[in-house]
Amino acid sequence: MRFAPLQAPFHPRGFLRLVGLCWLLLAGPAHAQSRIESAETVPATNQWLQPGDRLQVRLQGTPGGQATFLGTHPLTELPPAQAGGRRGIYQGTYVVRPGDTLRNRAISFALLLPTDSTRATARSRSRVRFLSPDEPQLAVTKGPLAYLNYGLGEDRLGGAKLGYLDSLVTLHVTGMVGSQYRVRLAENQTAWVPQEVVRLLPPGGFVPTSLTGSWSVAGDSLYDTVQVPLTARLPYRSELLTDPTTLVVDIFGATSNTNWITQRDGIRELGDVHYQQVQPDVFRLILPLRHAQAWGYSIGYRGNTLVIKVKRPPANLRLRGLTVALDAGHGGENVGATSAAGTQEKDLTLAIAQKLRRELEKAGARVLMTRETDATVDNGYRVLLLRQLRPDLLISLHANSSANPAVQGTSTFYRYVAFRPLAWALYEQMRSTGLKGFGNVGSFNFGLNGPTEYPNALVETAFVSNAEDEKRLTDPQFQQQLAERLRAGLEDFLKATRAKGPRGWLLHEPARN
C-alpha cells in the first residue's frame, strides 16, 4: 500500500493574506504615515502677545516624529506618563522677541516621521497677533459700569474684579486672551478688561501719563470731596482700609507735581489727607476717615479732574430717618433657584422684602426697592438705579441652593472688609431664628456687592434646596420673623456704629445679647 504525501489544499487568497502580514511585521513602523489629529495654541483662543510673552502650543499626532511650529521652532514629544497616558502629544513654547511680526494669523504646524517623506501639516483655529512696543495699542472705557479684573479666571460670578472705572478712561493694551484685553497699569502691574466695556482706539496715540496738579479738599452737606487735576483720564484703584479707617486711591501713570493741598471749610469726615509717590508711575492718595465705620465713597472724572466723594455718617445713626435700599433678588424671567417641589427663589425674596419694608417703615426708615413686583430687572440696572437714589445702605435678599439636599442654613455676604460689620450684624440675627449658620462670607464678587457708594450686604436667607429650610421659607409667619430679625440686625449695626468714636476708638463696650 502506498501513502501519498499529506498536502493542504492551496488557497490563493490565504496565501496573499500571509504575505501581507509578513510584510507588515517586517516593515510596518518604517512605513507609518505622519498624521496630525489636532494642533492648537494653549489656551485655544485668539491672543495678542508682546515681546517677552510666551506663545504655547500643543499638537497630537503620530508618535515618534519631529514636530515644528511657526516654520522651524521645535515641539517636544511628552512621555506618556506626562501626557496622561497618551502617546503622540507634542508641546512647544516660543518667547516673543522685539521685532517679531505676526498679524492675526493662524499658527502653522508640521509633523514628519523619520521613515516618511511626506510631512503632515495643520493650522490652529485660533489666531495670534504680536504687538509692537513702537505702535502702542490704546483703548478707552465705555459705559457707566466698566471694570478691571485681576486675571483671566471665571466662575458663575465672573472674574475677580480689581475695581470699577469711569467712562473714557484711557488704557494701554499690551495683550489679549479670548474676550479680555491685558492692560498695563504701571511698571510690573497689569490687569484685564473685558472687550465689551472698552473701545479700541486707532493707531498713533501716546501711552497716557500725567503730572498731578495741586489738589483740594472741601465739604458740603453730605460729602467731603477731593479733586486732583490731571491732563488725562488715567486708570485708578481704590481700597478702604480699617484700623484706622483710611481710603487709599492709586492713580496709575501719574507723577506728582502737587505742591500744595488746599483744605477748604466744611470738611467733616476726612482727616489729614496726604499722598505718596509709591513708584515712578503710581501716585497714591491717602485719605484718613474720622469715623471707624465708613459709609461709602465714589470715584469718577469731571473733565480730566479725578473727583473722590466720601460720604459722611447719617445724622443720628438710627432707623428713623435712615434711607435703606432693599433688593429682592431675581424676578420675572430670572426665577433664581427652584426647589424640587417647585418653589421659586424670586417669589420668596419678594415676599420677605415686602415684609421687611413694612418693618423698616414702621421704625421710621425710608425704604427704596429695586423691584416691587415680579419683574425682570437686570443687575446692572439695579446698580445704576441705586447710584442715582443714593441710599444709606443696601440689603440684597436671596435664597440659597445646593446640589446636596442635606446642605442647609443661613449666610451673609460682603465684598469690602469695611462693610463686614453690617453683614455680621445681619448674620447674627438671622441665626437667632433657629436656622443653622452657613457662614459670613467676604470678598464676594456679586454685582450688588460691588458698589462702594454705601455699605451693602447680601443675605442668603436659607437653602430652598433643603426640605426643612424650604418649609420655613414658604411659611408667611417665618417670613415675618425673618423680616423682624433683619430689622433687628440693622439696629444692632447702627448701635455698634454709634458706640465707636472718631478714628476707630471705642467709647464704651456695646451691650451683648
Side-chain angles (χ1 to χ4, degrees):
M1 181 179 292
R2 294 191 321 172
F3 292 91
L6 186 63
Q7 295 180 343
F10 176 75
H11 295 289
R13 290 183 181 177
F15 176 75
L16 291 175
R17 288 195 192 101
L18 180 61
V19 171
L21 178 61
C22 293
W23 184 85
L24 287 173
L25 290 174
L26 292 173
H31 289 270
Q33 291 185 338
S34 305
R35 185 177 63 179
I36 297 176
E37 297 177 12
S38 64
E40 193 53 272
T41 60
V42 180
T45 188
N46 294 339
Q47 299 178 53
W48 291 358
L49 305 173
Q50 68 173 0
D53 288 338
R54 288 179 172 84
L55 171 63
Q56 301 178 140
V57 297
R58 180 179 295 130
L59 178 151
Q60 181 174 1
T62 310
Q66 293 181 340
T68 58
F69 71 105
L70 285 178
T72 60
H73 300 290
L75 291 91
T76 300
E77 184 175 4
L78 302 182
Q82 193 176 337
R86 296 179 297 170
R87 300 183 65 221
I89 302 298
Y90 302 79
Q91 290 188 170
T93 298
Y94 176 74
V95 178
V96 182
R97 296 171 174 82
D100 285 348
T101 57
L102 193 65
R103 297 190 176 274
N104 288 322
R105 283 178 46 196
I107 302 301
S108 59
F109 296 84
L111 178 64
L112 178 64
L113 296 183
T115 56
D116 191 1
S117 60
T118 304
R119 292 190 310 163
T121 61
R123 296 176 71 84
S124 64
R125 292 188 299 274
S126 55
R127 293 179 173 272
V128 177
R129 173 187 173 190
F130 291 164
L131 298 175
S132 171
D134 298 329
E135 299 176 1
Q137 176 66 67
L138 305 180
V140 293
T141 57
K142 62 181 183 180
L145 294 175
Y147 61 91
L148 297 174
N149 286 332
Y150 282 103
L152 292 170
E154 286 284 344
D155 61 16
R156 65 184 182 87
L157 296 177
K161 292 181 177 59
L162 183 146
Y164 290 86
L165 293 176
D166 199 354
S167 59
L168 300 179
V169 172
T170 305
L171 301 173
H172 180 196
V173 176
T174 61
M176 182 192 78
V177 174
S179 62
Q180 294 200 59
Y181 295 120
R182 182 183 61 198
V183 297
R184 181 190 186 277
L185 299 178
E187 187 70 30
N188 299 321
Q189 295 191 56
T190 61
W192 295 84
V193 62
Q195 292 179 0
E196 64 198 42
V197 300
V198 295
R199 172 174 55 87
L200 292 178
L201 295 179
F206 293 139
V207 174
T209 61
S210 176
L211 295 174
T212 66
S214 294
W215 38 291
S216 65
V217 187
D220 58 22
S221 60
L222 295 175
Y223 300 93
D224 284 359
T225 303
V226 177
Q227 299 187 65
V228 182
L230 304 168
T231 57
R233 291 195 175 200
L234 301 177
Y236 51 83
R237 175 182 59 197
S238 65
E239 185 176 11
L240 193 53
L241 306 177
T242 58
D243 299 325
T245 311
T246 306
L247 175 59
V248 177
V249 180
D250 287 340
I251 308 175
F252 298 106
T255 303
S256 177
N257 193 37
T258 296
N259 291 317
W260 62 81
I261 303 171
T262 302
Q263 301 180 63
R264 305 185 188 281
D265 295 341
I267 302 170
R268 299 182 186 176
E269 182 57 23
L270 290 175
D272 297 326
V273 300
H274 56 288
Y275 70 87
Q276 296 175 351
Q277 190 75 50
V278 293
Q279 62 186 68
D281 52 358
V282 180
F283 182 82
R284 173 169 294 173
L285 286 77
I286 302 170
L287 311 176
L289 275 61
R290 298 184 186 275
H291 293 86
Q293 179 58 57
W295 284 84
Y297 65 95
S298 64
I299 304 180
Y301 279 98
R302 186 181 301 138
N304 288 336
T305 296
L306 187 68
V307 179
I308 304 165
K309 299 174 73 69
V310 179
K311 189 175 181 181
R312 302 197 187 108
N316 58 19
L317 290 174
R318 287 174 170 79
L319 282 179
R320 182 164 299 278
L322 199 71
T323 300
V324 180
L326 298 181
D327 172 58
H330 305 280
E333 297 178 355
N334 183 0
V335 301
T338 302
S339 73
T343 301
Q344 294 183 332
E345 180 181 2
K346 67 171 185 175
D347 299 325
L348 297 174
T349 59
L350 184 58
I352 297 168
Q354 290 169 336
K355 291 177 173 59
L356 177 55
R357 177 182 190 173
R358 289 192 287 270
E359 285 294 312
L360 295 175
E361 289 178 339
K362 283 193 300 183
R366 176 183 176 225
V367 178
L368 308 172
M369 303 278 285
T370 59
R371 71 177 179 99
E372 301 185 57
T373 62
D374 184 19
T376 303
V377 184
D378 178 75
N379 281 342
Y381 173 82
R382 299 182 200 218
V383 171
L384 295 177
L385 174 66
L386 292 168
R387 279 185 180 178
Q388 294 176 354
L389 297 176
R390 300 193 298 183
D392 290 317
L393 51 80
L394 164 73
I395 299 176
S396 182
L397 296 168
H398 289 258
N400 217 334
S401 181
S402 172
N404 181 356
V407 176
Q408 61 181 136
T410 188
S411 52
T412 52
F413 297 76
Y414 64 94
R415 179 171 176 186
Y416 308 111
V417 66
F419 298 159
R420 180 182 183 275
L422 172 61
W424 181 257
L426 297 172
Y427 180 60
E428 289 282 90
Q429 285 291 342
M430 289 291 289
R431 291 185 67 186
S432 70
T433 63
L435 290 168
K436 293 183 178 180
F438 195 70
N440 183 35
V441 181
S443 299
F444 191 57
N445 186 33
F446 177 64
L448 274 294
N449 290 113
T452 62
E453 287 85 351
Y454 42 81
N456 56 76
L458 182 145
V459 179
E460 292 281 7
T461 50
F463 278 82
V464 72
S465 54
N466 175 267
E468 183 179 347
D469 278 5
E470 180 192 16
K471 183 178 179 180
R472 289 180 167 186
L473 287 174
T474 54
D475 180 359
Q477 292 185 345
F478 188 74
Q479 293 174 359
Q480 178 62 30
Q481 185 183 357
L482 290 178
E484 293 171 0
R485 291 301 90 206
L486 289 169
R487 183 209 67 211
L490 282 180
E491 291 173 336
D492 289 347
F493 167 70
L494 295 170
K495 183 178 180 181
T497 302
R498 290 196 303 270
K500 295 177 182 178
R503 299 186 183 277
W505 292 104
L506 208 61
L507 296 182
H508 61 271
E509 191 70 17
R512 300 182 182 276
N513 293 331

